[in-house]
Amino acid sequence: MEFQTGYERNLETIPVGELGIIALKSCETLGQKINNHIVEWRQEREHEHSGSPLLRSYARPSYLINASVPRFGSGEAKGIIHDSVRGSDLYVLVDVCNYSLTYSLCGHTNHMSPDDHFQDLKRIIAAVGGKARRINVIMPFLYESRQHKRTGRESLDCALALQELVKMGVDNIITFDAHDPRVQNAIPLHGFETIQPVYQFIKGFFRAAPDFRVDPDHLMIISPDEGAAGRAIYMANILGVDMGMFYKRRDYAHIVNGRNPIVAHEFLGSDIKGKDVVILDDMISSGDSMLDVARELKERNAGRIFLCSTFGLFTNGLEKFDRAYEQGLFTSLLTTNLVYQTPELLQRSYYTSVDMSKYIALLIDTLNHDGSISDLLNPTARINNFLEKRRNLNR
């Protein structure tokens, strides 16, 4: 297994329970990659308690547990666990954004919505029936995370969902780049981790552009709006470069599609002329805002533009990105494989996929041993080591 300098991970302890990974159909591909990493590591690892009966199933050909959620003709469903989970330390993976899955509803074909995926997650937890030693949910895109606060007479869906999961017996919830991490206040006595894939993105920049240069004279990190400023500040500080920000000037006298329309994007920051620019956000939904920001940066004579987002939803398709790339608005687009990626997206020449499977496998492997994941959650040492290696290669 690859270890970075500064890592101290005690994996010689007895695991919490027999490891089990339930990858719901929405997350099958990612789940298989995670399983492959852990299988390889545990077959190579020489555990000091390998002779203990408690570790009789420590190294196995697979940790995936067979589970399914069949549906009736009415559209209703049930969760079924096909393997034993008694005493297991379970990790349930679900991608609530995977709209590619369908089911039959009274003869009509329905695409699965986030609500459907969340219900399936609860069905599987219910099917476990309290027999597992511990249940951990890995939900990369946090369900209803965009409805995290109340600005009127509104429902607080994300908080309700988190409370529902812990009431069902979930011990830990792991998510990535939550829209607002403060939503964890809804379950203050339970485990909740929101992780930013900064380290993986930095490696992705060098794959997308091998001549990528990290210094204040050649690079700047841009937040497309005030909400994304925190993650942009963190990346800029860790890379030692400048940060800029756009804020959206809205027309509060009108409402279009439930929102106040954006009148203009105003820029706050130093001169970006000739610099490479990373536009960093948590998600690309329609992509309009990010492309508008790229257009504004090009008008300010920015160099190469890298669009970078944890979740690439592309709710209105890829055509506008194709046109923008042809017009030279951006050089590369990077998103993770934490949510469903269409075959069309993976075929785009400007697209770089950031694989998170190894990182999630490290988290699962460490948590199964009841080890600390603090070093895994803080990527500073890994980023510094990676950049130092890149600098040595260029000397």
Side-chain angles (χ1 to χ4, degrees):
M1 191 193 309
E2 177 185 338
F3 292 97
Q4 287 81 17
T5 304
Y7 260 2
E8 289 185 7
R9 300 172 64 242
N10 180 16
L11 299 181
E12 295 299 327
T13 58
I14 299 295
V16 172
E18 186 175 302
L19 176 59
I21 300 172
I22 300 178
L24 296 186
K25 197 168 183 180
S26 60
C27 226
E28 274 184 341
T29 302
L30 181 61
Q32 186 61 60
K33 289 184 177 181
I34 293 168
N35 177 68
N36 291 343
H37 284 301
I38 297 178
V39 168
E40 180 184 351
W41 297 339
R42 293 200 171 185
Q43 287 177 347
E44 295 175 352
R45 184 179 298 149
E46 295 181 1
H47 199 288
E48 76 173 65
H49 301 291
S50 57
S52 169
L54 296 173
L55 292 181
R56 64 184 182 278
S57 58
Y58 183 74
R60 305 205 306 271
S62 177
Y63 299 93
L64 292 172
I65 290 175
N66 188 12
S68 62
V69 187
R71 288 185 178 266
F72 304 103
S74 61
E76 298 166 297
K78 62 180 177 181
I80 305 175
I81 306 290
H82 300 282
D83 298 326
S84 173
V85 294
R86 187 175 296 276
S88 296
D89 185 22
L90 293 182
Y91 295 81
V92 188
L93 287 86
V94 60
D95 173 13
V96 299
C97 295
N98 192 337
Y99 61 88
S100 69
L101 302 180
T102 61
Y103 63 93
S104 178
L105 173 61
C106 298
H108 300 280
T109 299
N110 270 13
H111 284 265
M112 290 188 68
S113 70
D115 292 344
D116 292 320
H117 288 299
F118 186 68
Q119 286 299 118
D120 282 359
L121 170 65
K122 292 193 295 181
R123 290 180 176 115
I124 289 298
I125 294 171
V128 171
K131 302 302 186 294
R133 181 162 299 175
R134 186 172 66 176
I135 299 178
N136 310 270
V137 169
I138 299 179
M139 186 188 299
F141 184 95
L142 185 61
Y143 174 70
E144 287 288 3
S145 59
R146 300 172 78 175
Q147 186 52 29
H148 59 94
K149 63 182 178 180
R150 182 178 281 157
T151 57
R153 190 66 68 191
E154 300 175 349
S155 58
L156 291 173
D157 296 70
C158 189
L160 288 172
L162 293 176
Q163 291 178 353
E164 196 168 5
L165 289 177
V166 299
K167 286 176 182 177
M168 294 186 72
V170 173
D171 294 279
N172 298 299
I173 298 171
I174 297 174
T175 189
F176 286 80
D177 218 345
H179 197 63
D180 187 342
R182 290 174 295 184
V183 75
Q184 66 189 289
N185 292 335
I187 50 169
L189 301 181
H190 293 79
F192 181 95
E193 301 291 350
T194 176
I195 304 164
Q196 291 191 25
V198 177
Y199 172 57
Q200 290 78 10
F201 274 134
I202 291 172
K203 292 198 296 184
F205 295 144
F206 285 95
R207 287 201 307 274
D211 60 341
F212 191 77
R213 300 181 67 177
V214 181
D215 62 70
D217 296 327
H218 297 92
L219 180 64
M220 193 169 181
I221 310 298
I222 300 294
S223 170
D225 54 41
E226 58 275 21
R231 62 180 61 87
I233 291 171
Y234 177 73
M235 180 177 280
N237 285 343
I238 208 165
L239 294 178
V241 300
D242 292 333
M243 175 262 184
M245 185 187 84
F246 281 85
Y247 70 90
K248 298 170 182 175
R249 188 150 52 89
R250 295 181 180 272
D251 178 7
Y252 288 99
H254 300 89
I255 296 178
V256 178
N257 294 328
R259 305 183 70 180
N260 302 108
I262 298 170
V263 176
H265 290 84
E266 305 291 350
F267 180 66
L268 301 173
S270 58
D271 185 22
I272 60 172
K273 184 177 180 180
K275 292 183 180 180
D276 286 346
V277 173
V278 172
I279 306 176
L280 182 65
D281 208 351
D282 61 336
M283 74 178 74
I284 295 175
S285 186
S286 66
D288 290 335
S289 294
M290 189 165 274
L291 291 178
D292 286 343
V293 167
R295 197 170 286 109
E296 294 281 347
L297 291 171
K298 278 299 183 183
E299 290 178 0
R300 290 170 171 79
N301 299 314
R304 296 179 298 182
I305 294 179
F306 298 84
L307 307 181
C308 183
S309 175
T310 305
F311 306 108
L313 306 182
F314 306 107
T315 55
N316 293 345
L318 296 170
E319 290 75 15
K320 65 182 67 176
F321 288 91
D322 294 339
R323 290 194 298 270
Y325 179 69
E326 291 168 1
Q327 294 166 6
L329 281 185
F330 69 92
T331 299
S332 187
L333 168 65
L334 296 88
T335 67
T336 70
N337 63 340
L338 292 172
V339 294
Y340 171 66
Q341 299 166 300
T342 64
E344 293 77 19
L345 174 66
L346 295 172
Q347 291 170 2
R348 294 300 194 268
S349 60
Y350 55 76
Y351 179 68
T352 298
S353 177
V354 178
D355 184 17
M356 299 297 298
S357 62
K358 187 173 185 179
Y359 184 44
I360 297 175
L362 279 168
L363 290 170
I364 291 175
D365 195 29
T366 304
L367 286 172
N368 181 232
H369 285 266
D370 211 21
S372 172
I373 59 172
S374 297
D375 288 336
L376 292 172
L377 297 179
N378 183 1
T380 305
R382 283 174 288 158
I383 292 172
N384 290 335
N385 290 333
F386 175 77
L387 294 177
E388 183 62 30
K389 290 178 182 177
R390 296 295 309 190
R391 284 190 286 268
N392 291 336
L393 286 174
N394 295 330
R395 284 173 184 168

